[in-house]
Amino acid sequence: MNKNYILSLLGLFLFSIGNAQSYKKPLVSAIKEADLRKDMYELAADQFWGREAGTLDELKVSMWLADKAKEAGMKPAGDNGTFFQFFDMYRHQVIPQSSLKISDQNLKLWKDFLVAEPVNASIDAEIVYAGNAEPEDLSKLNIKGKVLAVNASDKNIEKEMTLFIRRYPGFVRTKYYNKAAELGAKAIIFITDDTSEKAGQKFFPR
């Protein structure tokens, strides 16, 4: 679906930060910890939900940031004299009809399996189970034209990273993707013995 969405004001604030070095101390001293704390908690409040790109929640927080920019005396430099820039965004979403069948067993979406990367694809291929293999071990397997199935491993993944539940799945996928693609795998299935909703958010957030 092609829609217009609000672009983040990150560039605007980076510009301001980049020029901060030329500011005099009185302006820097005007920044109070209490004000920063208040803004931080407002931005992280439940009213903005996840602020995911292309959602109404992102639009709400963008308007909030624009108001803060106005309060700070910043001048708009976006489209049509606003603080915003608009662009086309294409969203891929998982449809309820998505299915996964292993041998003669049909698995149920969001219960037995979760989709990590929505793509428009239909794959009918042999599955190669690699157990606890790390990326460097995949070269020992013949996975060209096949589906790689591997136990979801957190080895060498920083456990204390910010927003661990959201970022961890991305790191797990990333560390396998390049090697699997290089060896010609058609897809990857990450396996966990915990099929709870919490595990779903941990490994494959949607």
Side-chain angles (χ1 to χ4, degrees), residues 32-101:
K32 305 297 183 184
E33 179 181 344
D35 295 332
L36 292 175
R37 187 180 298 275
K38 177 177 178 293
D39 288 343
M40 180 181 70
Y41 280 104
E42 281 186 14
L43 185 60
D46 290 343
Q47 63 178 334
F48 293 133
W49 290 84
R51 305 179 299 282
E52 186 176 354
T55 64
L56 288 176
D57 297 312
E58 184 202 26
L59 178 61
K60 287 170 60 178
V61 79
S62 296
M63 297 299 295
W64 180 87
L65 285 169
D67 287 340
K68 291 296 180 182
K70 292 177 184 177
E71 291 176 11
M74 300 175 70
K75 302 298 182 182
D79 296 342
N80 301 316
T82 69
F83 283 96
F84 310 106
Q85 290 178 307
F86 297 87
F87 61 96
D88 294 332
M89 179 176 179
Y90 295 87
R91 176 180 292 278
H92 296 277
Q93 294 179 301
V94 180
I95 61 173
Q97 292 77 20
S98 297
S99 63
L100 176 62
K101 184 176 181 180

Side-chain angles (χ1 to χ4, degrees), residues 8 10 36 44 70 79 97 107 122 133 158 174 190 194:
S8 168
L10 179 60
L36 292 175
K70 292 177 184 177
D79 296 342
Q97 292 77 20
L107 303 182
S122 178
E158 176 57 55
T174 299
F190 291 107
D194 186 350

Side-chain angles (χ1 to χ4, degrees), residues 25-196:
K25 282 190 175 181
L27 290 178
V28 175
S29 63
I31 301 175
K32 305 297 183 184
E33 179 181 344
D35 295 332
L36 292 175
R37 187 180 298 275
K38 177 177 178 293
D39 288 343
M40 180 181 70
Y41 280 104
E42 281 186 14
L43 185 60
D46 290 343
Q47 63 178 334
F48 293 133
W49 290 84
R51 305 179 299 282
E52 186 176 354
T55 64
L56 288 176
D57 297 312
E58 184 202 26
L59 178 61
K60 287 170 60 178
V61 79
S62 296
M63 297 299 295
W64 180 87
L65 285 169
D67 287 340
K68 291 296 180 182
K70 292 177 184 177
E71 291 176 11
M74 300 175 70
K75 302 298 182 182
D79 296 342
N80 301 316
T82 69
F83 283 96
F84 310 106
Q85 290 178 307
F86 297 87
F87 61 96
D88 294 332
M89 179 176 179
Y90 295 87
R91 176 180 292 278
H92 296 277
Q93 294 179 301
V94 180
I95 61 173
Q97 292 77 20
S98 297
S99 63
L100 176 62
K101 184 176 181 180
I102 298 179
S103 188
D104 295 326
Q105 184 177 3
N106 291 303
L107 303 182
K108 188 174 180 181
L109 178 66
W110 305 128
K111 179 181 179 182
D112 302 317
F113 75 98
L114 307 123
V115 179
E117 292 288 347
V119 294
N120 185 15
S122 178
I123 299 175
D124 183 3
E126 177 185 347
I127 297 176
V128 176
Y129 175 58
N132 296 318
E134 291 295 314
E136 58 270 20
D137 303 321
L138 299 182
S139 299
K140 303 173 184 177
L141 304 172
N142 177 17
I143 59 175
K144 184 175 182 179
K146 302 174 183 178
V147 175
L148 169 65
V150 62
N151 294 335
S153 167
D154 61 359
K155 183 179 179 181
N156 299 325
I157 300 295
E158 176 57 55
K159 309 302 188 303
E160 301 302 322
M161 69 180 71
T162 305
L163 299 177
F164 179 76
I165 289 180
R166 292 291 293 180
R167 293 181 182 175
Y168 168 76
F171 280 89
V172 171
R173 295 196 302 268
T174 299
K175 81 172 189 175
Y176 283 97
Y177 272 14
N178 289 341
K179 193 61 179 180
E182 176 189 323
L183 296 173
K186 283 190 172 183
I188 306 177
I189 297 174
F190 291 107
I191 301 170
T192 172
D193 58 4
D194 186 350
T195 56
S196 66

